Amino acid sequence: MDKQVAIIMGSKSDLPLLEGAFKVLEDFGIGYEAHVMSAHRTPERAMRFAAGAREAGLKVIICAAGMAAHLAGVMAAHTVLPVLGIPVASEPFNGLDALLATVQMPPGIPVGTVTAGKAGAKNAALLAVAILALADAELQNKLQDFRAKQTAQVEAMDAELQREIAQRG
Ligand code: RP5
């Protein structure tokens, strides 16, 4: 399977957060690769990876990093591929630092910043799927099915809640 998405994390400590992103890509049948790279601790490796990503056949790069989270920005500076950034929460600022560092890119070098934390990992993967689906009608149909199932699940939760409330009466 061609690897279309790269998931880069600033540290192996970010891995548990990214399980949801792996699962989404696996559920949609999208090939991916994952690496630990740091904008600060392995700057040359991060730069080389981003610079070679398009030629390697990648289509989207997802970066997760905490603290002064420059990973997504550095990747975006070295590629024209879409780069999505997931702010990772860490002490003492609980992710607000990473959110600002990831989202506040200067004009000209965008990073598509998603929700912080686990929800962000899932959303980054879904956004990557949506980007890939622009050129893949089958994938777009799968995305629509995913949304329909999600809607049905929420409606089922409401029905369950109504039954529980009725039993109280
Ligand atoms: C960031 O610093 C990483 O993305 C991680 O979220 C945070 C802490 O890294 P470690 O000290 O666990 O390597 O670069």
Side-chain angles (χ1 to χ4, degrees):
M1 193 190 300
D2 287 349
K3 290 169 181 169
Q4 299 194 86
V5 177
I7 299 181
I8 314 298
M9 60 205 89
S11 168
K12 185 107 188 291
S13 65
D14 299 327
L15 182 60
L17 174 89
L18 291 164
E19 290 298 339
F22 295 161
K23 184 172 184 326
V24 167
L25 296 177
E26 284 158 13
D27 288 351
F28 280 92
I30 291 169
Y32 66 87
E33 58 186 78
H35 304 279
V36 177
M37 284 179 212
S38 165
H40 308 114
R41 292 175 284 200
T42 65
E44 282 186 23
R45 190 162 168 250
M47 184 268 286
R48 267 188 273 114
F49 182 87
R54 194 157 72 112
E55 208 173 333
L58 290 163
K59 300 279 181 353
V60 182
I61 300 177
I62 294 173
C63 297
M67 307 185 85
H70 297 138
L71 183 59
V74 164
M75 289 274 167
H78 291 95
T79 182
V80 294
L81 293 178
V83 175
L84 307 178
I86 308 165
V88 175
S90 57
E91 291 298 323
F93 298 113
N94 296 324
L96 190 56
D97 45 356
L99 171 64
L100 292 175
T102 306
V103 77
Q104 282 293 78
M105 289 297 291
I109 307 290
V111 165
T113 305
V114 297
T115 328
K118 282 187 179 175
K122 184 173 180 179
N123 277 353
L126 285 169
L127 206 46
V129 173
I131 291 167
L132 296 172
L134 289 171
D136 184 337
E138 196 186 328
L139 197 53
Q140 215 150 39
N141 288 338
K142 277 192 196 171
L143 207 43
Q144 252 157 357
D145 290 347
F146 166 85
R147 289 285 185 95
K149 268 189 209 137
Q150 186 169 253
T151 299
Q153 280 165 2
V154 174
E155 285 168 355
M157 279 192 277
D158 184 56
E160 190 183 355
L161 177 64
Q162 298 316 311
R163 281 193 299 276
E164 285 170 12
I165 288 173
Q167 276 167 8
R168 285 172 180 239

